[in-house]
Amino acid sequence: DAGVTQSPTHLIKTRGQQVTLRCSPKSGHDTVSWYQQALGQGPQFIFQYYEEEERQRGNFPDRFSGHQFPNYSSELNVNALLLGDSALYLCASSLVAGGNQPQHFGDGTRLSIL
Amino acid sequence: QKEVEQNSGPLSVPEGAIASLNCTYSDRGSQSFFWYRQYSGKSPELIMFIYSNGDKEDGRFTAQLNKASQYVSLLIRDSQPSDSATYLCAVNRNSGYALNFGKGTSLLVTP
């Protein structure tokens, strides 16, 4: 049973560049959420995708955008990168149907901005 | 006021002891409560979830929820050095939607 997979594992970018991170949900899951975790902090919710639409969004600027594909996989795009965007980006998947289903996290993508 | 609060620690307990981790939340409409364990440099791993007032046990772990006091805790019995990690408390209002995390409590189990 494949868990949540994210790519790439690590990424180094410079200020002003753009980045795309990818996520494949756990088998059987249909919902993908993205979180940003700065060093020493808890994860902060960016947005959630269900049925290929953004279902909920956290307090992040429009530079952060996403997409969900028909196979439930998802991308997170960040434009005009800032030094403060350096963080661990986590993807979590869950199943909408079936009531209170917890979210399961992938291993994350560590993004460093120079 | 931060929505989910945890003591950052570190909480140090001897091997074999009970570790008690606490979390308070501000949103009275919160419905679901989760504990994740995060080892240094790794991603959060779900260890417990609880939806109703009272206790829920799973092996060495017990989650306790008191909605009236807006308080959730995690007890780890017979603590092992391998339990040393940061424990994140997460809360959400609507099932399946955004999780609000605390900053986490660092637990150190000493041999």
Side-chain angles (χ1 to χ4, degrees):
Chain A
D1 181 15
V4 181
T5 58
Q6 292 188 242
S7 63
T9 306
H10 295 87
L11 205 49
I12 299 174
K13 292 285 187 179
T14 57
R15 282 178 297 174
Q17 285 189 312
Q18 177 264 343
V19 68
T20 297
L21 310 181
R22 296 176 175 83
C23 172
S24 292
K26 183 180 169 78
S27 178
H29 285 183
D30 58 7
T31 303
V32 172
S33 303
W34 287 93
Y35 294 82
Q36 179 196 67
Q37 187 176 24
L39 203 60
Q41 304 293 317
Q44 296 292 311
F45 175 74
I46 302 174
F47 42 56
Q48 183 182 83
Y49 277 84
Y50 171 65
E51 292 188 331
E52 301 180 48
E53 292 194 357
E54 185 181 284
R55 187 165 83 143
Q56 187 182 10
R57 188 178 182 93
N59 188 26
F60 277 79
D62 292 344
R63 298 187 297 110
F64 290 77
S65 63
H67 189 78
Q68 186 180 34
F69 299 93
N71 67 352
Y72 308 118
S73 67
S74 177
E75 288 182 349
L76 163 65
N77 301 291
V78 187
N79 295 322
L81 287 166
L82 304 174
L83 292 178
D85 295 332
S86 294
L88 178 66
Y89 287 84
L90 295 162
C91 169
S93 74
S94 55
L95 179 63
V96 168
N100 284 324
Q101 296 295 321
Q103 297 181 23
H104 295 265
F105 285 88
D107 289 340
T109 294
R110 189 162 298 280
L111 176 63
S112 299
I113 311 301
L114 303 179
Chain B
Q1 179 188 9
K2 186 154 174 55
E3 292 187 34
V4 180
E5 297 210 38
Q6 298 180 253
N7 188 322
S8 60
L11 172 66
S12 183
V13 300
E15 183 174 358
I18 296 175
S20 177
L21 304 160
N22 305 315
C23 172
T24 58
Y25 59 95
S26 60
D27 183 358
R28 283 199 169 274
S30 298
Q31 297 294 321
S32 307
F33 307 86
F34 305 86
W35 284 99
Y36 288 84
R37 177 176 64 198
Q38 187 171 29
Y39 292 113
S40 181
K42 301 296 185 182
S43 66
E45 173 193 9
L46 178 70
I47 53 173
M48 287 288 291
F49 56 92
I50 186 167
Y51 306 133
S52 304
N53 277 329
D55 294 0
K56 179 182 178 182
E57 187 174 319
D58 183 1
R60 296 187 297 113
F61 299 98
T62 298
Q64 299 176 316
L65 175 61
N66 184 326
K67 287 187 177 181
S69 299
Q70 295 175 249
Y71 177 95
V72 58
S73 64
L74 178 70
L75 302 178
I76 307 175
R77 289 181 299 282
D78 188 24
S79 295
Q80 301 297 310
S82 58
D83 295 325
S84 298
T86 295
Y87 289 79
L88 296 163
C89 172
V91 173
N92 71 4
R93 168 179 273 269
N94 297 309
S95 171
Y97 283 78
L99 291 173
N100 291 316
F101 282 86
K103 286 187 176 182
T105 297
S106 175
L107 173 66
L108 178 63
V109 181
T110 55

